[in-house]
Amino acid sequence: MGILDGLNAEQHEAVIHNTGPLLIIAGAGTGKTTVITRRIAYLIQQGLAKPEEILALTFTEKAAGEMEDRIGTLLPSGYFDLWVSTFHAFGEHILKDHALDIGLSNDFRLLSDIEQRLLLREHIDEFDLNYYRPKGNPTKFIQALISHFSRLKDEDITPEEYIAYAEKLQLDTDSVEYQKKKTKGMTEKEQAQFDESLRVKEVAYAYKKYQQLLREKNAFDFGDLIIETIHILKERPAILEQYRNQFKYIFVDEFQDTNYAQYDLIKLLAAPRNNLTVVADDDQSIYSFRGASMSNILTFKKDFPKARDISLIQNYRSTQNILDLAYDFIQHNNPNRLEETVSINKHLQSNSAIKKGHIQHIHTQTLEGEAKLVIDTIADLRKQKKITSWNEVAILIRANDQAQTFIPYFERSGIPYQFLASQGLFIKPIILDIISFLKLLDNYHESRALYRVLTFNLWHIPPEEVMLIVSHAHKYTQSLFETCKNIRSVQKLQKETYKTIESLLVLIGRLSNDCRSKTVGEIVLNFLEESGYLAWITKQDQQHQIEHILYLNQFYKYIQNFERSDQEKTVRNFIYELNMMMDAGEGGALQPDFEEGPESVKILTIHAAKGLEFEYVFVVNLVDKRFPSIGRKETIPIPDVLVKDVVPKGDWHIEEERRLFYVALTRAKSGLFLTSADDYGGARKKKPSRFLIESGFVNTVPTPTGEVLFQRSTALMHSTQKTIIKHVPTMFSFTQLTAFETCPWQYHFSFIVRIPTPGKPNFSFGKTIHNTLYEFVRRIKEEKEMAQGDLFDNTQHAATAHVSALTLDTLLAIYETKWINEWYPSKKRRDEFYEKGKEMLTNWFQMHHNAWPEILYIEKEFTIKIGQYAIKGAIDRIDKISNGLEIIDYKTGKVPKNGKKDPTQLYMYALAVQQILNEQSTQLTYYFIEDNIPVSVQFKQTELDATIEWIEEQIEEIRKGEFIPKPGFHCAHCDYKDICQYRAS
């Protein structure tokens, strides 16, 4: 086939464009890769450029490989040095060749995102941080700092530029006139300006220190690959001229995804010929969170006013009614679209043989009903032979955790599926199994890890027998390992269970000995073979075999990277590094292969679906706050004056969410289903997504379908439903109820199975503060009561005299005796917590020592009844105030940003006061010790009634014994995240 054969008019025009800048607006499904590859082949065939004189840049290795393959098939003969590359690979190539020219090493190591976090964490003490290094959690902002440094490099902002701005900002606030005002006391605005100058200066110098660390380690991060290449080209004109002469033509695919620095690099290389072809679609710009600058397209028009514009509008994917729906919808982003700014037609025209596609909005009562009807609809499509392969169907989700609702229904239905997540390797069941076994080899008494190992499917130990083993360990205050060592003392186990556990202990002992001489990679491979795990995998169905092997291979890459970079390649060091990664928020990268594996329905995020197409597409969870999602600001924003990118006016978050929805719509060939529900588990009915309304469904929301009735799958419950029901308690606490509401599976681990968990610094510290305040307040109460009982003294005078003896030194002496010196990871962290506590208590004392309250009760334990159930708890303090009683609960953390906290716990205490003391509380208070601020609400009977209703609802759900996982943001702080396969990544 000839290079120009089969092209439509617009494609033909783009391919044969001779010289000068060219902007190709390539709508969804219009054949942009065809145009790029044929244009490159055309230039070579016509003798306008040799292969080595063409540079083509894109964003993924896969896209670069596909582009090069296509060019190879178009050219009649072979070629050398065709530069088809990702931006970062191109920058790395230049730096390897020329870094020495600007005083950098050219044998540098490229750090991954994980390695950047580890580097910063290991050297955090070398950074002069205050605002971004809280005493109680010095590593809290590591990820935010790394992200901030990356964004600075996207904007090509150097440490020197940042510091210069910070110094100027501080100079402005430290002026002589300003200092005079400081002596008299700053206004709130002046204080804010002063604090901001310190914050900016702190992060600016942190950026400089981070860059110094990289150079000391002879390392670059991905941002360096671009900005250091720019610096080479700008500082060494001869090198710039060399590459300008070499690259006669430059191509950029997915131009809307470039950031400021990448575009700067492109312009540098293209001048003065400016034979620059960029292919873009502003309506598919969805990567601003990675630093992509859609404004680069608009800037391109200003930089190259004579550039040729060609719009590809012939769509070879979707039916016309699907394209019309998408086009009408995206109009809501006007005027910030190219169609308006450069007056170009972007209304896609279908070339599909199908005249009209199927478009439907499905609306149900509940999230579960939505999932069930989606799976039923897919089954009907196959039954009606509208699809001949499961590969023709995709479920598109806004966020990874939304897939968890659909997966159990696929399991029940038998329809094959693949969840193609980009993160979450470390919580895949098979990887959790391996990690748990490695942790067990490092520490026999890690009961959580051993519990996971005992529940491996390949052992075939009945779940109820695992429960017996755990109960025995609790009964005799043993670790699970100690119990397993004497497994014959556990009654009522099957013979096979005794044998299996004894064999398991032999395996653990043998591999533990091997850990002294073998690397972690060798240990993992030996475990997989000797345990029979690999043999077990081979007995799974084809889908699960392929998935398991895929995850194993990807996890083994982490091990290999660790072994390359660490001199001590031990299991212990690997577990340490893995824990650091997970603590930093790393979920384990996944590289899903959309073409490999068995035939299956695909579940994937819309971001991951870009560039793909399916016969039928389901866009799910179309309700308010799910899609569009809630916008999140950068934790550490770049100061506006330093930002070089041009940000268009308007609601930028909503506009990007619209583009994401547009991408979702245009993945569908002939069928599009938009789904939503009323109930997603919250207290209120969900509103339909504004995108449904903007798509024309405002008056056509269907009546919700009836509740879907079916039996819950025991597979979701680790097959322990029968045992769990037997052990549901009849007495509860607020902690239990909130744990269940947050995640029933967490409740199952903590209060049913009762898996032991290690302590945490925050727990030790919080208990220390509570114990200290209890003892000091107890003395205040005691002294006042003694004084008031003295008939020979003036009561008020005596009370004051007695209490005044309780000084700050008294309080701090109590603190010293109550200090719990446990679970701190290092002496340094322990000392930081200790000093923080002294500061908090000092501030508390100084605020209250001249006016101690009238204290009625402290640490008042209670048990209340609601129906046939009992609730236990303890109230920190009850004070007598002018208009009644005040309930006070101490919190050692900070006041929430919004200044509010759910008062449900306080209302439970108010119920206790009402039931036991037969009195009504008038004021309910959380006292935040760290900020020294009380947050109070006035008692309302309606709120108390709602609390009683909430308690009853939680208990009724617990009593059902169905502990269904509810993954979400809370998973990051869960004690059981290391062994929970349902954890959100």
Side-chain angles (χ1 to χ4, degrees), residues 430 433-438 440-441 452-461 499-511 514 522-540 552:
I430 185 173
D433 289 350
I434 295 172
I435 292 173
S436 295
F437 196 85
L438 290 176
L440 191 57
L441 295 181
R452 175 94 195 177
V453 171
L454 290 174
T455 60
F456 282 6
N457 289 329
L458 77 156
W459 310 134
H460 303 295
I461 301 176
K499 292 179 181 178
T500 298
I501 291 177
E502 287 167 348
S503 297
L504 173 60
L505 293 182
V506 171
L507 175 65
I508 292 170
R510 183 166 64 251
L511 291 180
D514 289 346
E522 292 175 302
I523 295 295
V524 167
L525 294 178
N526 287 347
F527 158 70
L528 291 171
E529 186 167 344
E530 293 180 29
S531 66
Y533 207 113
L534 280 179
W536 175 77
I537 290 174
T538 62
K539 296 175 183 177
Q540 307 302 303
L552 277 177

Side-chain angles (χ1 to χ4, degrees), residues 143-390:
Q143 179 55 55
L145 287 166
I146 292 294
S147 298
H148 185 60
F149 300 155
S150 176
R151 285 287 295 116
L152 290 167
K153 293 176 184 182
D154 290 342
E155 294 281 336
D156 194 11
I157 299 169
T158 65
E160 291 70 29
E161 288 178 87
Y162 207 165
I163 289 171
Y165 167 74
E167 297 286 4
K168 181 179 183 302
L169 189 65
Q170 187 170 34
L171 188 63
D172 292 341
T173 57
D174 282 347
S175 64
V176 175
E177 189 174 337
Y178 193 84
Q179 288 293 339
K180 288 180 180 179
K181 289 182 180 179
K182 282 174 62 178
T183 60
K184 299 177 182 178
M186 288 184 283
T187 66
E188 187 175 334
K189 182 178 179 181
E190 290 167 341
Q191 182 67 56
Q193 290 173 336
F194 182 72
D195 291 345
E196 175 66 3
S197 70
L198 294 178
R199 184 194 70 80
V200 171
K201 184 176 180 181
E202 177 178 312
V203 78
Y205 276 95
Y207 181 32
K208 181 179 180 180
K209 178 62 181 178
Y210 171 71
Q211 288 301 100
Q212 288 175 343
L213 267 180
L214 288 176
R215 298 304 171 260
E216 289 171 7
K217 300 290 184 180
N218 192 27
F220 283 169
D221 62 22
F222 282 96
D224 286 328
L225 297 180
I226 304 300
I227 63 168
E228 294 298 349
T229 298
I230 292 173
H231 296 165
I232 285 176
L233 297 178
K234 287 183 175 180
E235 294 174 25
R236 296 292 183 268
I239 297 174
L240 174 59
E241 191 65 22
Q242 170 191 334
Y243 285 106
R244 282 178 170 176
N245 288 335
Q246 177 178 344
F247 299 127
K248 293 182 179 179
Y249 289 85
I250 297 176
F251 291 77
V252 182
D253 189 19
E254 305 286 7
F255 181 63
Q256 77 277 354
D257 295 337
T258 57
N259 58 43
Y260 178 90
Q262 288 164 338
Y263 182 36
D264 198 25
L265 174 62
I266 295 162
K267 287 188 292 184
L268 268 176
L269 291 168
R273 291 192 187 95
N274 293 330
N275 289 332
L276 177 59
T277 298
V278 298
V279 183
D281 182 8
D282 57 313
D283 291 332
Q284 295 188 80
S285 178
I286 58 173
Y287 290 112
S288 66
F289 67 93
R290 294 182 188 170
S293 171
M294 199 196 81
S295 64
N296 280 348
I297 306 175
L298 303 176
T299 306
F300 181 88
K301 293 295 296 178
K302 295 177 182 177
D303 292 337
F304 304 101
K306 295 182 180 179
R308 184 87 171 273
D309 300 332
I310 298 175
S311 182
L312 307 181
I313 60 172
Q314 295 298 311
N315 177 281
Y316 296 92
R317 176 186 300 158
S318 307
T319 58
Q320 191 61 53
N321 61 331
I322 291 176
L323 296 177
D324 289 344
L325 173 68
Y327 179 75
D328 293 341
F329 167 77
I330 202 63
Q331 301 299 303
H332 289 87
N333 268 2
N334 288 337
N336 293 321
R337 295 179 60 246
L338 281 179
E339 192 167 36
E340 286 218 350
T341 55
V342 299
S343 300
I344 194 168
N345 179 23
K346 294 195 64 191
H347 194 167
L348 301 180
Q349 301 300 309
S350 175
N351 277 276
S352 172
I354 302 172
K355 295 301 179 184
K356 188 176 182 180
H358 181 88
I359 301 175
Q360 183 180 351
H361 175 206
I362 296 175
H363 187 69
T364 67
Q365 285 184 345
T366 65
L367 172 61
E368 290 76 16
E370 179 184 0
K372 179 67 164 56
L373 283 177
V374 166
I375 275 68
D376 287 348
T377 303
I378 294 171
D380 287 342
L381 290 172
R382 184 64 177 254
K383 185 177 181 180
Q384 297 170 23
K385 298 184 178 179
K386 291 185 177 180
I387 55 173
T388 57
S389 168
W390 296 118

Side-chain angles (χ1 to χ4, degrees), residues 785-814:
E785 290 171 349
M786 287 175 59
Q788 290 167 356
D790 189 341
L791 299 176
F792 299 98
D793 284 330
N794 175 276
T795 300
Q796 184 62 41
H797 174 76
T800 303
H802 277 283
V803 174
S804 64
L806 298 174
T807 64
L808 176 60
D809 289 339
T810 307
L811 176 62
L812 295 181
I814 294 171

Side-chain angles (χ1 to χ4, degrees), residues 118 121-122 575-585:
L118 293 176
R121 181 169 181 152
E122 289 169 4
I575 290 298
Y576 174 75
E577 186 167 308
L578 190 66
N579 285 334
M580 287 182 68
M581 286 191 287
M582 291 193 286
D583 288 346

Side-chain angles (χ1 to χ4, degrees), residues 768-801:
T768 296
I769 296 297
H770 272 75
N771 291 347
T772 301
L773 290 174
Y774 166 77
E775 177 60 24
F776 189 74
V777 172
R778 186 193 66 77
R779 294 188 189 184
I780 293 174
K781 183 174 183 294
E782 187 177 86
E783 295 286 356
K784 277 196 170 187
E785 290 171 349
M786 287 175 59
Q788 290 167 356
D790 189 341
L791 299 176
F792 299 98
D793 284 330
N794 175 276
T795 300
Q796 184 62 41
H797 174 76
T800 303

